[in-house]
mmCIF file of all heavy atoms in Angstrom:
data_model
loop_
_atom_site.group_PDB
_atom_site.id
_atom_site.type_symbol
_atom_site.label_atom_id
_atom_site.label_comp_id
_atom_site.label_asym_id
_atom_site.label_seq_id
_atom_site.Cartn_x
_atom_site.Cartn_y
_atom_site.Cartn_z
ATOM 1 N N TRP A 36 73.118 33.970 27.191
ATOM 2 C CA TRP A 36 73.531 35.258 27.745
ATOM 3 C C TRP A 36 74.999 35.205 28.165
ATOM 4 O O TRP A 36 75.385 34.445 29.012
ATOM 5 C CB TRP A 36 72.629 35.577 28.927
ATOM 6 C CG TRP A 36 72.942 36.825 29.652
ATOM 7 C CD1 TRP A 36 73.161 38.070 29.128
ATOM 8 C CD2 TRP A 36 73.057 36.978 31.061
ATOM 9 N NE1 TRP A 36 73.390 38.975 30.110
ATOM 10 C CE2 TRP A 36 73.335 38.335 31.305
ATOM 11 C CE3 TRP A 36 72.943 36.104 32.140
ATOM 12 C CZ2 TRP A 36 73.507 38.840 32.590
ATOM 13 C CZ3 TRP A 36 73.105 36.600 33.415
ATOM 14 C CH2 TRP A 36 73.389 37.952 33.627
ATOM 15 N N ARG A 37 75.810 36.049 27.547
ATOM 16 C CA ARG A 37 77.251 36.120 27.828
ATOM 17 C C ARG A 37 77.871 34.725 27.832
ATOM 18 O O ARG A 37 78.743 34.422 28.656
ATOM 19 C CB ARG A 37 77.491 36.783 29.181
ATOM 20 C CG ARG A 37 76.679 38.056 29.367
ATOM 21 C CD ARG A 37 76.980 38.712 30.675
ATOM 22 N NE ARG A 37 78.382 39.132 30.737
ATOM 23 C CZ ARG A 37 78.878 39.810 31.744
ATOM 24 N NH1 ARG A 37 78.133 40.134 32.759
ATOM 25 N NH2 ARG A 37 80.127 40.176 31.750
ATOM 26 N N ALA A 38 77.425 33.898 26.893
ATOM 27 C CA ALA A 38 77.837 32.501 26.924
ATOM 28 C C ALA A 38 79.213 32.304 26.292
ATOM 29 O O ALA A 38 79.619 33.043 25.402
ATOM 30 C CB ALA A 38 76.812 31.649 26.205
ATOM 31 N N ALA A 39 79.897 31.294 26.787
ATOM 32 C CA ALA A 39 81.145 30.874 26.167
ATOM 33 C C ALA A 39 80.781 29.949 25.008
ATOM 34 O O ALA A 39 79.605 29.732 24.717
ATOM 35 C CB ALA A 39 81.995 30.152 27.190
ATOM 36 N N ALA A 40 81.789 29.424 24.340
ATOM 37 C CA ALA A 40 81.541 28.557 23.201
ATOM 38 C C ALA A 40 80.715 27.337 23.607
ATOM 39 O O ALA A 40 79.879 26.850 22.858
ATOM 40 C CB ALA A 40 82.862 28.121 22.582
ATOM 41 N N SER A 41 80.930 26.857 24.819
ATOM 42 C CA SER A 41 80.246 25.645 25.235
ATOM 43 C C SER A 41 79.858 25.739 26.702
ATOM 44 O O SER A 41 80.558 26.336 27.514
ATOM 45 C CB SER A 41 81.190 24.456 25.023
ATOM 46 O OG SER A 41 80.887 23.447 25.942
ATOM 47 N N LEU A 42 78.719 25.156 27.042
ATOM 48 C CA LEU A 42 78.314 25.119 28.451
ATOM 49 C C LEU A 42 78.760 23.812 29.096
ATOM 50 O O LEU A 42 78.407 23.530 30.233
ATOM 51 C CB LEU A 42 76.796 25.251 28.564
ATOM 52 C CG LEU A 42 76.207 26.668 28.579
ATOM 53 C CD1 LEU A 42 74.699 26.621 28.582
ATOM 54 C CD2 LEU A 42 76.698 27.447 29.786
ATOM 55 N N ASP A 43 79.523 23.015 28.351
ATOM 56 C CA ASP A 43 79.890 21.690 28.844
ATOM 57 C C ASP A 43 81.088 21.711 29.784
ATOM 58 O O ASP A 43 82.037 20.948 29.621
ATOM 59 C CB ASP A 43 80.185 20.757 27.661
ATOM 60 C CG ASP A 43 78.900 20.365 26.972
ATOM 61 O OD1 ASP A 43 77.845 20.488 27.619
ATOM 62 O OD2 ASP A 43 78.965 19.966 25.808
ATOM 63 N N HIS A 44 81.066 22.594 30.753
ATOM 64 C CA HIS A 44 82.123 22.637 31.745
ATOM 65 C C HIS A 44 81.516 23.237 33.003
ATOM 66 O O HIS A 44 80.693 24.142 32.905
ATOM 67 C CB HIS A 44 83.284 23.501 31.237
ATOM 68 C CG HIS A 44 84.532 23.353 32.059
ATOM 69 N ND1 HIS A 44 84.614 23.819 33.351
ATOM 70 C CD2 HIS A 44 85.729 22.787 31.786
ATOM 71 C CE1 HIS A 44 85.812 23.548 33.832
ATOM 72 N NE2 HIS A 44 86.518 22.913 32.910
ATOM 73 N N LEU A 45 81.926 22.728 34.164
ATOM 74 C CA LEU A 45 81.333 23.236 35.400
ATOM 75 C C LEU A 45 81.613 24.722 35.610
ATOM 76 O O LEU A 45 80.819 25.423 36.207
ATOM 77 C CB LEU A 45 81.836 22.444 36.608
ATOM 78 C CG LEU A 45 81.056 21.168 36.960
ATOM 79 C CD1 LEU A 45 81.442 20.704 38.343
ATOM 80 C CD2 LEU A 45 79.564 21.362 36.865
ATOM 81 N N ASP A 46 82.744 25.208 35.117
ATOM 82 C CA ASP A 46 83.019 26.644 35.209
ATOM 83 C C ASP A 46 81.918 27.445 34.510
ATOM 84 O O ASP A 46 81.564 28.543 34.924
ATOM 85 C CB ASP A 46 84.356 26.987 34.541
ATOM 86 C CG ASP A 46 85.532 26.789 35.489
ATOM 87 O OD1 ASP A 46 85.288 26.424 36.654
ATOM 88 O OD2 ASP A 46 86.680 26.999 35.065
ATOM 89 N N GLU A 47 81.406 26.875 33.423
ATOM 90 C CA GLU A 47 80.387 27.576 32.646
ATOM 91 C C GLU A 47 78.987 27.292 33.175
ATOM 92 O O GLU A 47 78.238 28.202 33.499
ATOM 93 C CB GLU A 47 80.474 27.175 31.163
ATOM 94 C CG GLU A 47 81.742 27.650 30.474
ATOM 95 C CD GLU A 47 81.820 29.173 30.398
ATOM 96 O OE1 GLU A 47 80.772 29.840 30.447
ATOM 97 O OE2 GLU A 47 82.944 29.689 30.304
ATOM 98 N N TRP A 48 78.616 26.006 33.244
ATOM 99 C CA TRP A 48 77.254 25.660 33.672
ATOM 100 C C TRP A 48 77.024 26.001 35.146
ATOM 101 O O TRP A 48 76.020 26.590 35.507
ATOM 102 C CB TRP A 48 76.995 24.167 33.427
ATOM 103 C CG TRP A 48 75.587 23.769 33.771
ATOM 104 C CD1 TRP A 48 74.491 23.885 32.960
ATOM 105 C CD2 TRP A 48 75.127 23.222 35.002
ATOM 106 N NE1 TRP A 48 73.374 23.444 33.622
ATOM 107 C CE2 TRP A 48 73.735 23.031 34.883
ATOM 108 C CE3 TRP A 48 75.744 22.872 36.207
ATOM 109 C CZ2 TRP A 48 72.950 22.507 35.909
ATOM 110 C CZ3 TRP A 48 74.955 22.360 37.235
ATOM 111 C CH2 TRP A 48 73.580 22.178 37.066
ATOM 112 N N GLY A 49 77.993 25.625 35.974
ATOM 113 C CA GLY A 49 77.806 25.749 37.418
ATOM 114 C C GLY A 49 78.235 27.085 37.999
ATOM 115 O O GLY A 49 77.843 27.444 39.101
ATOM 116 N N LEU A 50 79.043 27.839 37.282
ATOM 117 C CA LEU A 50 79.508 29.118 37.828
ATOM 118 C C LEU A 50 79.346 30.261 36.825
ATOM 119 O O LEU A 50 79.942 31.329 36.995
ATOM 120 C CB LEU A 50 80.977 29.026 38.276
ATOM 121 C CG LEU A 50 81.259 28.164 39.507
ATOM 122 C CD1 LEU A 50 82.750 28.153 39.816
ATOM 123 C CD2 LEU A 50 80.497 28.648 40.726
ATOM 124 N N GLY A 51 78.560 30.052 35.793
ATOM 125 C CA GLY A 51 78.271 31.129 34.844
ATOM 126 C C GLY A 51 79.511 31.718 34.179
ATOM 127 O O GLY A 51 79.525 32.876 33.788
ATOM 128 N N GLY A 52 80.585 30.915 34.059
ATOM 129 C CA GLY A 52 81.796 31.396 33.406
ATOM 130 C C GLY A 52 82.709 32.192 34.335
ATOM 131 O O GLY A 52 83.696 32.775 33.886
ATOM 132 N N ARG A 53 82.407 32.232 35.620
ATOM 133 C CA ARG A 53 83.220 32.960 36.614
ATOM 134 C C ARG A 53 83.524 34.371 36.160
ATOM 135 O O ARG A 53 84.661 34.852 36.300
ATOM 136 C CB ARG A 53 84.572 32.253 36.845
ATOM 137 C CG ARG A 53 84.480 30.859 37.435
ATOM 138 C CD ARG A 53 85.874 30.400 37.831
ATOM 139 N NE ARG A 53 85.949 28.986 38.136
ATOM 140 C CZ ARG A 53 86.150 28.503 39.361
ATOM 141 N NH1 ARG A 53 86.277 29.304 40.382
ATOM 142 N NH2 ARG A 53 86.230 27.204 39.545
ATOM 143 N N LYS A 54 82.541 35.068 35.618
ATOM 144 C CA LYS A 54 82.870 36.400 35.121
ATOM 145 C C LYS A 54 81.788 37.424 35.421
ATOM 146 O O LYS A 54 81.700 38.445 34.758
ATOM 147 C CB LYS A 54 83.114 36.328 33.613
ATOM 148 C CG LYS A 54 81.899 35.867 32.830
ATOM 149 C CD LYS A 54 82.230 35.796 31.348
ATOM 150 C CE LYS A 54 81.077 35.162 30.603
ATOM 151 N NZ LYS A 54 81.433 34.681 29.302
ATOM 152 N N PHE A 55 80.943 37.152 36.415
ATOM 153 C CA PHE A 55 79.899 38.112 36.723
ATOM 154 C C PHE A 55 80.482 39.361 37.382
ATOM 155 O O PHE A 55 81.324 39.276 38.267
ATOM 156 C CB PHE A 55 78.846 37.482 37.639
ATOM 157 C CG PHE A 55 78.002 36.437 36.952
ATOM 158 C CD1 PHE A 55 77.423 35.412 37.675
ATOM 159 C CD2 PHE A 55 77.779 36.494 35.583
ATOM 160 C CE1 PHE A 55 76.641 34.455 37.049
ATOM 161 C CE2 PHE A 55 77.006 35.536 34.945
ATOM 162 C CZ PHE A 55 76.434 34.512 35.684
ATOM 163 N N GLY A 56 80.003 40.516 36.936
ATOM 164 C CA GLY A 56 80.464 41.781 37.504
ATOM 165 C C GLY A 56 79.652 42.163 38.731
ATOM 166 O O GLY A 56 78.840 41.383 39.231
ATOM 167 N N SER A 57 79.881 43.401 39.202
ATOM 168 C CA SER A 57 79.289 43.828 40.470
ATOM 169 C C SER A 57 77.771 43.733 40.483
ATOM 170 O O SER A 57 77.176 43.263 41.445
ATOM 171 C CB SER A 57 79.695 45.263 40.780
ATOM 172 O OG SER A 57 81.082 45.334 40.907
ATOM 173 N N TRP A 58 77.133 44.207 39.417
ATOM 174 C CA TRP A 58 75.673 44.242 39.427
ATOM 175 C C TRP A 58 75.060 42.856 39.433
ATOM 176 O O TRP A 58 74.183 42.564 40.238
ATOM 177 C CB TRP A 58 75.146 45.014 38.206
ATOM 178 C CG TRP A 58 75.197 46.478 38.442
ATOM 179 C CD1 TRP A 58 76.132 47.355 37.978
ATOM 180 C CD2 TRP A 58 74.290 47.245 39.251
ATOM 181 N NE1 TRP A 58 75.854 48.614 38.451
ATOM 182 C CE2 TRP A 58 74.738 48.569 39.219
ATOM 183 C CE3 TRP A 58 73.153 46.922 39.999
ATOM 184 C CZ2 TRP A 58 74.079 49.595 39.908
ATOM 185 C CZ3 TRP A 58 72.490 47.928 40.675
ATOM 186 C CH2 TRP A 58 72.953 49.249 40.628
ATOM 187 N N ILE A 59 75.547 42.012 38.525
ATOM 188 C CA ILE A 59 74.962 40.677 38.437
ATOM 189 C C ILE A 59 75.202 39.930 39.741
ATOM 190 O O ILE A 59 74.322 39.256 40.270
ATOM 191 C CB ILE A 59 75.555 39.899 37.252
ATOM 192 C CG1 ILE A 59 75.357 40.706 35.972
ATOM 193 C CG2 ILE A 59 74.921 38.537 37.121
ATOM 194 C CD1 ILE A 59 76.139 40.194 34.800
ATOM 195 N N THR A 60 76.421 40.066 40.273
ATOM 196 C CA THR A 60 76.730 39.376 41.522
ATOM 197 C C THR A 60 75.810 39.863 42.638
ATOM 198 O O THR A 60 75.342 39.076 43.464
ATOM 199 C CB THR A 60 78.205 39.602 41.906
ATOM 200 O OG1 THR A 60 79.017 39.156 40.822
ATOM 201 C CG2 THR A 60 78.566 38.840 43.155
ATOM 202 N N TRP A 61 75.537 41.154 42.630
ATOM 203 C CA TRP A 61 74.671 41.705 43.667
ATOM 204 C C TRP A 61 73.291 41.054 43.612
ATOM 205 O O TRP A 61 72.754 40.616 44.612
ATOM 206 C CB TRP A 61 74.559 43.226 43.501
ATOM 207 C CG TRP A 61 73.846 43.900 44.626
ATOM 208 C CD1 TRP A 61 74.313 44.074 45.892
ATOM 209 C CD2 TRP A 61 72.546 44.484 44.588
ATOM 210 N NE1 TRP A 61 73.381 44.746 46.643
ATOM 211 C CE2 TRP A 61 72.280 45.012 45.873
ATOM 212 C CE3 TRP A 61 71.567 44.624 43.600
ATOM 213 C CZ2 TRP A 61 71.096 45.652 46.194
ATOM 214 C CZ3 TRP A 61 70.389 45.264 43.922
ATOM 215 C CH2 TRP A 61 70.158 45.777 45.208
ATOM 216 N N PHE A 62 72.744 40.987 42.404
ATOM 217 C CA PHE A 62 71.432 40.370 42.258
ATOM 218 C C PHE A 62 71.502 38.869 42.542
ATOM 219 O O PHE A 62 70.611 38.303 43.161
ATOM 220 C CB PHE A 62 70.864 40.602 40.857
ATOM 221 C CG PHE A 62 70.294 41.982 40.683
ATOM 222 C CD1 PHE A 62 70.919 42.925 39.895
ATOM 223 C CD2 PHE A 62 69.129 42.333 41.338
ATOM 224 C CE1 PHE A 62 70.389 44.193 39.752
ATOM 225 C CE2 PHE A 62 68.582 43.600 41.197
ATOM 226 C CZ PHE A 62 69.216 44.539 40.404
ATOM 227 N N LEU A 63 72.560 38.247 42.087
ATOM 228 C CA LEU A 63 72.674 36.798 42.248
ATOM 229 C C LEU A 63 72.840 36.416 43.725
ATOM 230 O O LEU A 63 72.090 35.589 44.244
ATOM 231 C CB LEU A 63 73.869 36.282 41.435
ATOM 232 C CG LEU A 63 74.051 34.774 41.444
ATOM 233 C CD1 LEU A 63 72.905 34.094 40.723
ATOM 234 C CD2 LEU A 63 75.370 34.378 40.789
ATOM 235 N N VAL A 64 73.800 37.028 44.390
ATOM 236 C CA VAL A 64 74.020 36.687 45.802
ATOM 237 C C VAL A 64 72.818 37.133 46.633
ATOM 238 O O VAL A 64 72.353 36.416 47.522
ATOM 239 C CB VAL A 64 75.327 37.317 46.334
ATOM 240 C CG1 VAL A 64 75.503 37.012 47.813
ATOM 241 C CG2 VAL A 64 76.515 36.801 45.555
ATOM 242 N N GLY A 65 72.295 38.301 46.320
ATOM 243 C CA GLY A 65 71.108 38.767 47.032
ATOM 244 C C GLY A 65 69.938 37.838 46.813
ATOM 245 O O GLY A 65 69.228 37.470 47.745
ATOM 246 N N GLY A 66 69.780 37.414 45.556
ATOM 247 C CA GLY A 66 68.669 36.534 45.227
ATOM 248 C C GLY A 66 68.818 35.179 45.891
ATOM 249 O O GLY A 66 67.861 34.451 46.094
ATOM 250 N N ASP A 67 70.031 34.902 46.257
ATOM 251 C CA ASP A 67 70.424 33.629 46.789
ATOM 252 C C ASP A 67 70.237 33.585 48.303
ATOM 253 O O ASP A 67 69.772 32.605 48.873
ATOM 254 C CB ASP A 67 71.913 33.548 46.448
ATOM 255 C CG ASP A 67 72.475 32.214 46.619
ATOM 256 O OD1 ASP A 67 71.707 31.291 46.848
ATOM 257 O OD2 ASP A 67 73.696 32.100 46.498
ATOM 258 N N LEU A 68 70.574 34.689 48.949
ATOM 259 C CA LEU A 68 70.561 34.718 50.407
ATOM 260 C C LEU A 68 69.212 35.140 50.960
ATOM 261 O O LEU A 68 68.816 34.726 52.039
ATOM 262 C CB LEU A 68 71.623 35.684 50.928
ATOM 263 C CG LEU A 68 73.033 35.437 50.426
ATOM 264 C CD1 LEU A 68 74.005 36.328 51.146
ATOM 265 C CD2 LEU A 68 73.416 33.988 50.618
ATOM 266 N N TYR A 69 68.526 35.995 50.236
ATOM 267 C CA TYR A 69 67.244 36.485 50.741
ATOM 268 C C TYR A 69 66.156 35.769 49.966
ATOM 269 O O TYR A 69 65.750 36.188 48.903
ATOM 270 C CB TYR A 69 67.164 38.007 50.599
ATOM 271 C CG TYR A 69 68.283 38.680 51.333
ATOM 272 C CD1 TYR A 69 69.512 38.877 50.725
ATOM 273 C CD2 TYR A 69 68.133 39.051 52.664
ATOM 274 C CE1 TYR A 69 70.564 39.457 51.417
ATOM 275 C CE2 TYR A 69 69.175 39.624 53.364
ATOM 276 C CZ TYR A 69 70.389 39.818 52.729
ATOM 277 O OH TYR A 69 71.435 40.378 53.415
ATOM 278 N N THR A 70 65.719 34.660 50.528
ATOM 279 C CA THR A 70 64.873 33.737 49.784
ATOM 280 C C THR A 70 63.414 33.927 50.164
ATOM 281 O O THR A 70 63.087 34.683 51.070
ATOM 282 C CB THR A 70 65.291 32.300 50.121
ATOM 283 O OG1 THR A 70 64.965 32.065 51.487
ATOM 284 C CG2 THR A 70 66.772 32.106 49.916
ATOM 285 N N ALA A 71 62.545 33.217 49.453
ATOM 286 C CA ALA A 71 61.124 33.261 49.765
ATOM 287 C C ALA A 71 60.925 32.882 51.219
ATOM 288 O O ALA A 71 60.060 33.416 51.905
ATOM 289 C CB ALA A 71 60.358 32.292 48.878
ATOM 290 N N TYR A 72 61.745 31.981 51.678
ATOM 291 C CA TYR A 72 61.624 31.553 53.056
ATOM 292 C C TYR A 72 61.877 32.726 54.005
ATOM 293 O O TYR A 72 61.146 32.930 54.958
ATOM 294 C CB TYR A 72 62.596 30.417 53.327
ATOM 295 C CG TYR A 72 62.441 29.866 54.710
ATOM 296 C CD1 TYR A 72 61.231 29.321 55.097
ATOM 297 C CD2 TYR A 72 63.475 29.922 55.623
ATOM 298 C CE1 TYR A 72 61.067 28.833 56.379
ATOM 299 C CE2 TYR A 72 63.312 29.431 56.898
ATOM 300 C CZ TYR A 72 62.105 28.888 57.272
ATOM 301 O OH TYR A 72 61.937 28.412 58.537
ATOM 302 N N THR A 73 62.928 33.499 53.723
ATOM 303 C CA THR A 73 63.196 34.678 54.545
ATOM 304 C C THR A 73 62.020 35.647 54.479
ATOM 305 O O THR A 73 61.621 36.237 55.472
ATOM 306 C CB THR A 73 64.434 35.439 54.031
ATOM 307 O OG1 THR A 73 65.206 34.580 53.227
ATOM 308 C CG2 THR A 73 65.226 36.001 55.144
ATOM 309 N N PHE A 74 61.508 35.814 53.267
ATOM 310 C CA PHE A 74 60.451 36.793 53.084
ATOM 311 C C PHE A 74 59.128 36.322 53.675
ATOM 312 O O PHE A 74 58.261 37.130 53.955
ATOM 313 C CB PHE A 74 60.265 37.101 51.593
ATOM 314 C CG PHE A 74 61.402 37.877 51.018
ATOM 315 C CD1 PHE A 74 62.019 37.491 49.850
ATOM 316 C CD2 PHE A 74 61.868 39.008 51.672
ATOM 317 C CE1 PHE A 74 63.079 38.210 49.334
ATOM 318 C CE2 PHE A 74 62.930 39.724 51.158
ATOM 319 C CZ PHE A 74 63.544 39.328 49.989
ATOM 320 N N VAL A 75 58.962 35.040 53.817
ATOM 321 C CA VAL A 75 57.698 34.518 54.311
ATOM 322 C C VAL A 75 57.815 34.103 55.778
ATOM 323 O O VAL A 75 56.968 34.398 56.601
ATOM 324 C CB VAL A 75 57.262 33.325 53.424
ATOM 325 C CG1 VAL A 75 56.163 32.539 54.097
ATOM 326 C CG2 VAL A 75 56.796 33.823 52.071
ATOM 327 N N ALA A 76 58.914 33.432 56.117
ATOM 328 C CA ALA A 76 59.026 32.845 57.454
ATOM 329 C C ALA A 76 59.452 33.837 58.522
ATOM 330 O O ALA A 76 59.028 33.728 59.665
ATOM 331 C CB ALA A 76 59.997 31.675 57.417
ATOM 332 N N VAL A 77 60.290 34.812 58.155
ATOM 333 C CA VAL A 77 60.716 35.777 59.170
ATOM 334 C C VAL A 77 59.528 36.616 59.665
ATOM 335 O O VAL A 77 59.311 36.716 60.876
ATOM 336 C CB VAL A 77 61.877 36.657 58.651
ATOM 337 C CG1 VAL A 77 62.129 37.826 59.584
ATOM 338 C CG2 VAL A 77 63.138 35.821 58.504
ATOM 339 N N PRO A 78 58.718 37.189 58.750
ATOM 340 C CA PRO A 78 57.519 37.878 59.241
ATOM 341 C C PRO A 78 56.598 36.935 60.008
ATOM 342 O O PRO A 78 55.959 37.349 60.987
ATOM 343 C CB PRO A 78 56.831 38.371 57.966
ATOM 344 C CG PRO A 78 57.827 38.283 56.895
ATOM 345 C CD PRO A 78 58.872 37.310 57.302
ATOM 346 N N ALA A 79 56.543 35.672 59.593
ATOM 347 C CA ALA A 79 55.687 34.716 60.298
ATOM 348 C C ALA A 79 56.170 34.521 61.733
ATOM 349 O O ALA A 79 55.368 34.397 62.660
ATOM 350 C CB ALA A 79 55.657 33.382 59.564
ATOM 351 N N LEU A 80 57.497 34.528 61.907
ATOM 352 C CA LEU A 80 58.056 34.372 63.256
ATOM 353 C C LEU A 80 57.761 35.603 64.106
ATOM 354 O O LEU A 80 57.414 35.496 65.286
ATOM 355 C CB LEU A 80 59.572 34.138 63.158
ATOM 356 C CG LEU A 80 60.291 33.723 64.434
ATOM 357 C CD1 LEU A 80 59.691 32.460 65.010
ATOM 358 C CD2 LEU A 80 61.777 33.508 64.169
ATOM 359 N N VAL A 81 57.876 36.794 63.486
ATOM 360 C CA VAL A 81 57.532 38.024 64.199
ATOM 361 C C VAL A 81 56.050 38.006 64.564
ATOM 362 O O VAL A 81 55.661 38.362 65.675
ATOM 363 C CB VAL A 81 57.870 39.258 63.333
ATOM 364 C CG1 VAL A 81 57.297 40.530 63.950
ATOM 365 C CG2 VAL A 81 59.380 39.386 63.171
ATOM 366 N N PHE A 82 55.227 37.554 63.629
ATOM 367 C CA PHE A 82 53.792 37.439 63.848
ATOM 368 C C PHE A 82 53.503 36.552 65.059
ATOM 369 O O PHE A 82 52.644 36.847 65.871
ATOM 370 C CB PHE A 82 53.150 36.845 62.586
ATOM 371 C CG PHE A 82 51.665 36.615 62.669
ATOM 372 C CD1 PHE A 82 50.770 37.629 62.353
ATOM 373 C CD2 PHE A 82 51.160 35.373 63.023
ATOM 374 C CE1 PHE A 82 49.401 37.417 62.406
ATOM 375 C CE2 PHE A 82 49.792 35.152 63.084
ATOM 376 C CZ PHE A 82 48.916 36.180 62.780
ATOM 377 N N GLY A 83 54.269 35.472 65.175
ATOM 378 C CA GLY A 83 53.987 34.509 66.236
ATOM 379 C C GLY A 83 54.679 34.805 67.559
ATOM 380 O O GLY A 83 54.148 34.506 68.612
ATOM 381 N N ALA A 84 55.907 35.381 67.507
ATOM 382 C CA ALA A 84 56.693 35.493 68.738
ATOM 383 C C ALA A 84 57.163 36.912 69.041
ATOM 384 O O ALA A 84 57.641 37.184 70.129
ATOM 385 C CB ALA A 84 57.901 34.566 68.670
ATOM 386 N N GLY A 85 57.073 37.817 68.079
ATOM 387 C CA GLY A 85 57.486 39.189 68.325
ATOM 388 C C GLY A 85 58.965 39.436 68.077
ATOM 389 O O GLY A 85 59.520 38.947 67.086
ATOM 390 N N ALA A 86 59.620 40.153 69.001
ATOM 391 C CA ALA A 86 60.973 40.676 68.787
ATOM 392 C C ALA A 86 61.987 39.607 68.387
ATOM 393 O O ALA A 86 62.904 39.878 67.614
ATOM 394 C CB ALA A 86 61.453 41.385 70.035
#
Side-chain angles (χ1 to χ4, degrees):
Chain A
W36 177 49
R37 313 182 63 175
S41 152
L42 275 175
D43 286 340
H44 193 291
L45 273 194
D46 275 358
E47 293 295 336
W48 183 84
L50 291 179
R53 296 190 193 250
K54 62 181 173 198
F55 290 153
S57 299
W58 279 101
I59 304 168
T60 303
W61 188 71
F62 282 109
L63 184 67
V64 177
D67 193 9
L68 306 188
Y69 302 86
T70 67
Y72 184 60
T73 340
F74 290 131
V75 165
V77 169
L80 190 57
V81 170
F82 178 87

